[in-house]
Amino acid sequence: MESFKFREFKVLRATCSKGGGSISFSLRPSRSLSPISWRMILVSVVIFYSRNIITPVLTVYFKDALNLSYSQVGYLYSLYLLVMFATDVFTGGIADKYGRRKILTLGMFLYGLSMALIGASHRFLSCALAYGLAALGSSLLSGTLQAWYFTEIKAQNLGREEAKKAYGLLRSINSANSLLIGIITATIVAFVGMRSVFYAAAILNFFGVFLAILLLNENWGTREKGVLAIVREGISLVLRSPILRYLFIAGMLFTLPHLHFLYVWQLYFTGVLDLKVEALGPLYSLKSAMGILAGFLILRIGIGKEKSHALLFKISISLLILLSYLLFAGVSAEIVGVLALALYSLGEAVYFTGYTLLINEIIPNEYRSTIISTRMSVSASVGAVFYALIGRLVNFSGLAGSFALMVPVFVLLSLVYLRAFEEKITALSEN
């Protein structure tokens, strides 16, 4: 069986841990997914529902059901981000040391408990404490299942095609689920009230705890070092590795257009194109449908080829997302706007899956949770700063003009990935 190895990371792991080793993935495609992949997908779907079922009513619940002011709602969201930022890196180190399944189940339990407390809250203070607990639960969940899965497929010598097929299928499943979330939430609100949505989220999280204990075995990064040592060495690995540095930079860069799109796309259709608010429902369904299509597209791009991840990024960034931004910026017509929305949604779904596959190919198992959590924390901090400035950006350039201002980011992003893949090729040729 043919495999590829990163010499660079072989050296780094030898310096950071006992025994060294290399990262290798089989290039032979399998015809069906392994039990490990199906277990990851099942737990991921439960987590998806347990986290997203509250999304359609969260702000309305804070504002109307709890009678909070707009400022208090803003304080809650700021508190959530602050707790996430303060704890994310350390929870990754805790998962690497004490076990990914253990920390995953703890995160789901705390998040479920927080949902029950929010559902029972009647005052700002009790809701703030509960929402802070939700942020801690999210921090414990952050990247833990992903770290568990990629550690398992490497331990069982499953190939890159296995992970690609699993994440492609998961992308399609969760995109289809996103179409159902609004219907499920609306049904719960109509029959038993808005608070019951949070109780339903609590039940789903507790069910996720049971499912994870039942289906997932425990795996670790390293149990021989302290949490702070794991975090320090994980961050040091990122700083010394050219490929990981480029991927961290790419993650920060893509945060800008990703958050920009979340902020602007609805305003673009209702403002620039003058569509009615009711049209946003079908457009959101289109976004979800493109996510389903992306899952199937991911399965077909570069099957069995060593450069399949490069193809994912070329298609998503250069062909789909960049083209969509050029259309949004240059042509103000309904049919073009719908086409641009479809292209962006498809490209973004392909991009995120490709990024997950690529970075997990490179991260050593010892520091997998730590590095994933660190990456999320860094990107979140960039996003927090960008969100503080995005309103001024739109005021300066207009809605359509703001798309044009993002185009240089995609050019820079393409250059970063070009350098990352050059480093990867160099590592391969030296091996």
Side-chain angles (χ1 to χ4, degrees), residues 21 82 84 94 96 115 130 163 180 185 200 219 230 241 243 249 253 283 332 373-374 380 382 406 424:
L82 179 62
M84 285 283 292
I94 292 170
D96 282 333
M115 292 297 102
L180 300 175
T185 303
N219 69 36
I230 294 172
S241 163
I243 301 178
I249 293 170
L253 285 174
L283 290 174
S332 298
S373 295
T374 301
V382 172
M406 288 290 108
K424 181 177 175 181

Side-chain angles (χ1 to χ4, degrees), residues 142-157:
S142 175
T144 308
L145 182 59
Q146 188 182 126
W148 176 89
Y149 175 67
F150 281 95
T151 298
E152 286 298 310
I153 63 169
K154 182 177 184 298
Q156 298 193 22
N157 199 30

Side-chain angles (χ1 to χ4, degrees), residues 171 254-255 257-262 287 290-291 294 298 315-317 320-322 324-325 341-355:
R171 171 65 63 178
F254 194 78
T255 297
H258 171 64
L259 294 182
H260 168 264
F261 190 82
L262 290 176
K287 281 172 54 63
M290 289 300 101
I298 289 162
I315 290 174
S316 62
I317 297 174
L320 298 173
I321 302 179
L322 178 58
S324 73
Y325 262 64
L341 177 66
L343 290 174
Y344 177 85
S345 302
L346 182 61
E348 183 184 66
V350 173
Y351 173 86
F352 278 133
T353 303
Y355 188 94

Side-chain angles (χ1 to χ4, degrees), residues 138-148 368-369 372-373 376:
S138 291
S139 181
L140 290 166
L141 281 167
S142 175
T144 308
L145 182 59
Q146 188 182 126
W148 176 89
R368 195 177 295 278
S369 294
I372 292 172
S373 295
M376 292 179 175

